[in-house]
Amino acid sequence: MQNDDVIWEIIGTTHCSYRTSTETQNFCRNPYNVTGLCNRRSCPLANSRYATIIEKDGVCYLYKKVPERAHTPKKLWERIKLLKNYDQALEQIQEHLEFWPEFQIHKNKQRFTKIVQYLIRKRKIEKHSDVQIIPVKKKTERRERQREEHAERAAQIEIVIEKELFDRLKNGNYEDIYNYPPRVYNKWLDENEKEEVEYVEEDVEESDQEIEDLDQLFDKKKPKYEIEYEKEIDQLNNLY
């Protein structure tokens, strides 16, 4: 014959694999525990007559065990499917636990109410929410983030080196011909071609302006009379 007090003295004071201790309270991991707390009245192992509510795939069941089936562990728990209607399900619980302790009846009704509220919220989220929940792999995310940081640092270093090479090339530090990367070298040539074209255009404009200024200056210094040499040439011809 099962003795509940002896069982509780053993698992309640020494060791229980379902117990989880915190700073304030002890909790129970047993799936048949009706409250989730580790105490004498809530322990499903230390009570030969026990009842709880368990939800599976959206359907609630009332689980009961009695001392008469303690010798057959396979048939220890009796399962009763509860109706979908909330009021009718409460009447079912009250009917099957009519002569049970008030603590068991109250806690089972309370647990059933919490499960029904949870199922209602779950259906609303599935109906109105388009967000898909995807599991997050922390190791993969951390690895990808580290790779992005390394790539970003490498890109910044390449930009700094490229800028430094351009500056040295413009300053004439490399007088001989070097085998530069084609893309970088062509880019530098294109930039220099633009600068040279702009410089030549400016020089042409300046030279045209200088020519005009010289013409005006020459016109100002030009004498007002014209020199004729024909008579002198005729006189010289007569002498000869």
Side-chain angles (χ1 to χ4, degrees):
M1 192 70 180
Q2 182 176 356
N3 194 325
D4 298 341
D5 294 331
V6 174
I7 294 174
W8 178 249
E9 286 178 3
I10 295 172
I11 64 176
T13 57
T14 57
H15 173 72
C16 179
S17 59
Y18 294 108
R19 184 188 297 118
T20 300
S21 300
T22 62
E23 296 180 356
T24 57
Q25 204 168 10
N26 293 332
F27 295 93
C28 181
R29 295 178 181 270
N30 195 308
Y32 293 99
N33 193 309
V34 70
T35 61
L37 302 175
C38 182
N39 54 49
R40 176 67 177 82
R41 293 195 296 177
S42 300
C43 182
L45 302 178
N47 289 278
S48 58
R49 187 168 64 169
Y50 198 83
T52 186
I53 305 292
I54 294 179
E55 178 263 333
K56 291 183 178 180
D57 299 329
V59 181
C60 295
Y61 298 92
L62 173 63
Y63 279 73
K64 298 193 311 178
K65 77 169 183 175
V66 293
E68 289 77 14
R69 293 196 299 270
H71 64 285
T72 56
K74 183 179 179 181
K75 301 179 181 179
L76 181 63
W77 290 93
E78 177 187 0
R79 188 175 75 171
I80 301 167
K81 184 178 179 180
L82 299 178
L83 299 175
K84 292 184 178 180
N85 186 279
Y86 176 72
D87 296 331
Q88 294 179 358
L90 289 179
E91 292 179 359
Q92 272 185 295
I93 295 172
Q94 183 65 38
E95 180 182 354
H96 288 282
L97 304 179
E98 184 177 0
F99 302 105
W100 287 54
E102 189 64 27
F103 175 81
Q104 287 287 332
I105 298 173
H106 175 68
K107 289 300 179 182
N108 277 278
K109 289 182 178 180
Q110 190 178 26
R111 182 180 176 87
F112 175 72
T113 304
K114 293 293 183 181
I115 292 175
V116 169
Q117 293 174 354
Y118 150 73
L119 292 175
I120 291 172
R121 290 195 302 269
K122 182 180 177 182
R123 294 191 189 100
K124 286 183 179 179
I125 292 172
E126 291 176 353
K127 183 178 180 180
H128 299 288
S129 178
D130 297 333
V131 179
Q132 185 179 3
I133 299 175
I134 301 175
V136 177
K137 298 181 180 178
K138 294 185 179 180
K139 291 185 179 179
T140 305
E141 283 195 349
R142 183 169 62 252
R143 190 186 308 116
E144 295 296 332
R145 186 169 58 254
Q146 290 176 354
R147 289 178 180 175
E148 291 177 0
E149 292 176 357
H150 293 327
E152 186 177 358
R153 285 198 294 269
Q156 291 177 356
I157 292 172
E158 289 180 358
I159 292 171
V160 172
I161 294 173
E162 182 179 349
K163 184 178 179 182
E164 182 66 23
L165 291 175
F166 280 163
D167 294 339
R168 292 185 181 184
L169 195 61
K170 289 179 181 179
N171 295 332
N173 295 340
Y174 306 125
E175 297 178 357
D176 299 331
I177 297 175
Y178 290 88
N179 188 15
Y180 290 102
R183 181 181 61 83
V184 179
Y185 186 68
N186 293 332
K187 180 180 178 182
W188 179 82
L189 288 177
D190 294 339
E191 292 179 357
N192 283 335
E193 282 182 357
K194 292 179 181 178
E195 294 179 357
E196 289 178 358
V197 169
E198 293 176 357
Y199 179 73
V200 169
E201 290 179 354
E202 291 178 357
D203 290 347
V204 170
E205 292 178 358
E206 292 179 357
S207 60
D208 294 341
Q209 186 68 28
E210 290 178 357
I211 292 171
E212 291 179 1
D213 295 341
L214 290 174
D215 291 340
Q216 292 178 1
L217 182 62
F218 181 75
D219 292 338
K220 290 180 181 179
K221 293 183 179 181
K222 188 176 180 180
K224 297 180 181 180
Y225 57 88
E226 295 181 357
I227 299 175
E228 296 180 358
Y229 297 99
E230 292 181 0
K231 293 180 181 181
E232 295 180 356
I233 293 171
D234 292 339
Q235 293 176 0
L236 291 172
N237 290 331
N238 291 331
L239 291 175
Y240 292 104

